[in-house]
Amino acid sequence: MTHTADLGSRLQDAHPSLPVVLVGEARLPTTSGTFRALAYRQADGVEYLALVTGDLGDGHDVLVRLHSECLTGDVLGSLRCDCGPQLHAALEAITAEGRGVVLYLRGQEGRGIGLAEKIAAYALQEQGRDTVEANVDLGLPVDARDYTGAVAVLRDLGVRDVELMTHNPVKVRALEAHGVPVLRRRDLPVAQTVDNLRYLRTKRDRMGHELPGVD
């Protein structure tokens, strides 16, 4: 773990061209394992939390999850999505691996449209629209996420190439477009429920997600 004196030096000197700044680092014990928690911030205030386990060494073949913030799923245990189970499965995976990074992406609620807009989209889904149609009806992007800051955090951590835990091919393409090769993609368990089955099918059929086992 980085000591406080070393942290001050990194804040001033490390990677001055990156669009993120390391704000703090601390030990974080959780029910999924104990991690190094590194907090980053962009100039516009968007924050990222990197949960790191083990020694990343030369930065090659690092097990990584880019996890978009989902208050309803991650915190409240919503059954309308599979976000919470994916987050915990990813944390447990890097703990079992003994080496890896789960990068929590703040400001990406509802694929980047925000919490209030996500609830508005839910209301339209209850009237029969799917998750893609609801966003379009509200005049919002289907997916507004940007991964530039996430890549900057990975670079600051010394990550060179990854095994990516995702069902979303867009995340694979985003990393590779920013110069982070994805050596392999690893599936996460799919937490299918009565309430999220249509959502999962829409992600598979309309957004190209790889979702093995979805009925």
Side-chain angles (χ1 to χ4, degrees), residues 3-41:
H3 296 293
T4 303
D6 297 331
L7 177 59
S9 175
R10 286 184 70 194
L11 293 178
Q12 294 182 10
D13 301 329
H15 303 285
S17 63
L18 291 181
V20 296
V21 173
L22 177 64
V23 177
E25 178 178 352
R27 174 179 171 271
L28 185 65
T30 77
T31 55
S32 299
T34 299
F35 306 96
R36 292 168 51 213
L38 296 95
Y40 291 83
R41 185 179 294 128

Side-chain angles (χ1 to χ4, degrees), residues 19-140:
V20 296
V21 173
L22 177 64
V23 177
E25 178 178 352
R27 174 179 171 271
L28 185 65
T30 77
T31 55
S32 299
T34 299
F35 306 96
R36 292 168 51 213
L38 296 95
Y40 291 83
R41 185 179 294 128
Q42 291 180 171
D44 60 4
V46 173
E47 296 176 334
Y48 302 88
L49 182 66
L51 299 172
V52 180
T53 191
D55 184 353
L56 301 184
D58 61 6
H60 288 294
D61 202 7
V62 179
L63 184 60
V64 169
R65 163 75 179 166
L66 303 182
H67 189 86
S68 297
E69 178 180 27
C70 178
L71 176 71
T72 51
D74 300 338
V75 178
L76 301 177
S78 170
L79 300 179
R80 297 188 67 137
C81 66
D82 57 342
C83 301
Q86 285 192 74
L87 173 61
H88 293 287
L91 290 171
E92 290 165 4
I94 66 170
T95 296
E97 192 87 4
R99 178 176 179 261
V101 179
V102 172
L103 183 52
Y104 197 82
L105 309 177
R106 299 290 308 277
Q108 292 200 358
E109 187 83 42
R111 300 193 302 274
I113 65 173
L115 179 60
E117 288 78 7
K118 182 170 81 170
I119 299 303
Y122 279 173
L124 290 177
Q125 290 170 41
E126 290 173 356
Q127 297 171 27
R129 308 299 278 166
D130 66 27
T131 184
V132 170
E133 294 164 343
N135 282 31
V136 172
D137 288 353
L138 291 169
L140 299 169

